[in-house]
């Protein structure tokens, strides 16, 4: 319902060591269009360095290819020690659907395995907007494909 913030979560086991996954995602967002061109057209830093609190990045992404959608993102919090990163997305096509879209990434080990958990807080702009299952599927697909690329690539952190 519009006016209410709902939280959606997904936990994904990854092959890449958690520290590597977190560091590369947190520090190299502008590489996403090169690594995953079927999902991202561009990520452009418009303020800051793109990896510290307050940095702003413009995104062009393909939720349903070949249609390109846009959003602006601000890094709200980063805790490197606990591998926790929160980004707020707004404006563009995404802003027409959601007043709030805040994604928090937590990378961690559990039972000897590596995991990523996304918690996404969403407030719809109006009641006609469908539940954001397509956005959560996008987040899950991104995580799996990014992980696969990192697991098979020789990228240092």
């Amino acid at each position: 319902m519009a006016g209410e913030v709902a939280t959606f979560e997904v936990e994904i086991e990854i092959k890449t060591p958690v520290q590597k996954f977190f560091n590369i995602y947190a520090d190299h967002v502008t590489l996403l269009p090169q690594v995953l061109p079927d999902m991202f057209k561009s990520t452009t830093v418009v303020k800051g360095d793109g990896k510290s609190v307050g940095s702003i990045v413009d995104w062009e992404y393909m939720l349903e290819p070949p249609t390109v959608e846009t959003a602006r993102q601000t890094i709200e919090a980063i805790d490197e020690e606990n591998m926790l990163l929160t980004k707020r997305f707004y404006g563009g096509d995404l802003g027409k659907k959601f007043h709030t879209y805040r994604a928090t990434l937590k990378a961690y080990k559990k039972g000897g395995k590596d995991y990523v958990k996304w918690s996404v807080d969403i407030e719809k702009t109006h009641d006609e907007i469908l539940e954001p299952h397509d956005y959560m599927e996008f987040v899950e697909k991104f995580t799996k494909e990014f992980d696969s690329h990192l697991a098979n690539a020789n990228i240092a952190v």
Side-chain angles (χ1 to χ4, degrees):
M1 174 174 263
E4 296 178 13
V5 176
T7 300
F8 297 85
E9 296 182 331
V10 62
E11 179 184 65
I12 303 160
E13 183 179 349
I14 58 174
K15 300 176 208 87
T16 306
V18 292
Q19 191 71 50
K20 180 178 181 178
F21 186 99
F22 179 81
N23 287 345
I24 293 177
Y25 176 71
D27 291 348
H28 302 288
V29 70
T30 56
L31 293 178
L32 293 178
Q34 296 166 29
V35 174
L36 301 171
D38 294 340
M39 297 185 78
F40 300 98
K41 183 176 180 204
S42 70
T43 51
T44 306
V45 176
V46 294
K47 180 183 175 191
D49 59 8
K51 58 185 178 182
S52 58
V53 172
S55 290
I56 298 173
V57 177
D58 283 343
W59 293 68
E60 290 184 312
Y61 57 94
M62 291 168 277
L63 190 64
E64 295 181 27
T67 303
V68 175
E69 295 190 21
T70 60
R72 178 163 276 190
Q73 163 250 295
T74 299
I75 297 176
E76 291 191 337
I78 187 163
D79 180 344
E80 292 179 11
E81 183 178 333
N82 293 306
M83 294 182 285
L84 191 66
L85 174 66
T86 301
K87 296 180 176 187
R88 180 174 57 94
F89 292 84
Y90 53 95
D93 298 300
L94 184 132
K96 295 173 186 170
K97 299 174 189 173
F98 307 110
H99 288 301
T100 302
Y101 190 99
R102 182 172 289 109
T104 300
L105 165 73
K106 170 76 175 150
Y108 55 95
K109 288 190 158 299
K110 179 173 76 173
K113 297 181 179 180
D114 297 307
Y115 289 89
V116 168
K117 180 177 182 179
W118 289 97
S119 298
V120 182
D121 298 326
I122 294 173
E123 177 189 358
K124 297 187 242 178
T125 55
H126 52 81
D127 290 334
E128 290 74 35
I129 298 293
L130 298 175
E131 292 300 314
H133 300 294
D134 52 349
Y135 282 86
M136 293 309 295
E137 289 169 6
F138 182 84
V139 167
E140 188 169 355
K141 178 182 176 185
F142 156 72
T143 303
K144 289 176 180 178
E145 290 190 18
F146 189 60
D147 175 47
S148 178
H149 180 81
L150 293 179
N152 296 314
N154 186 16
I155 299 173
V157 286

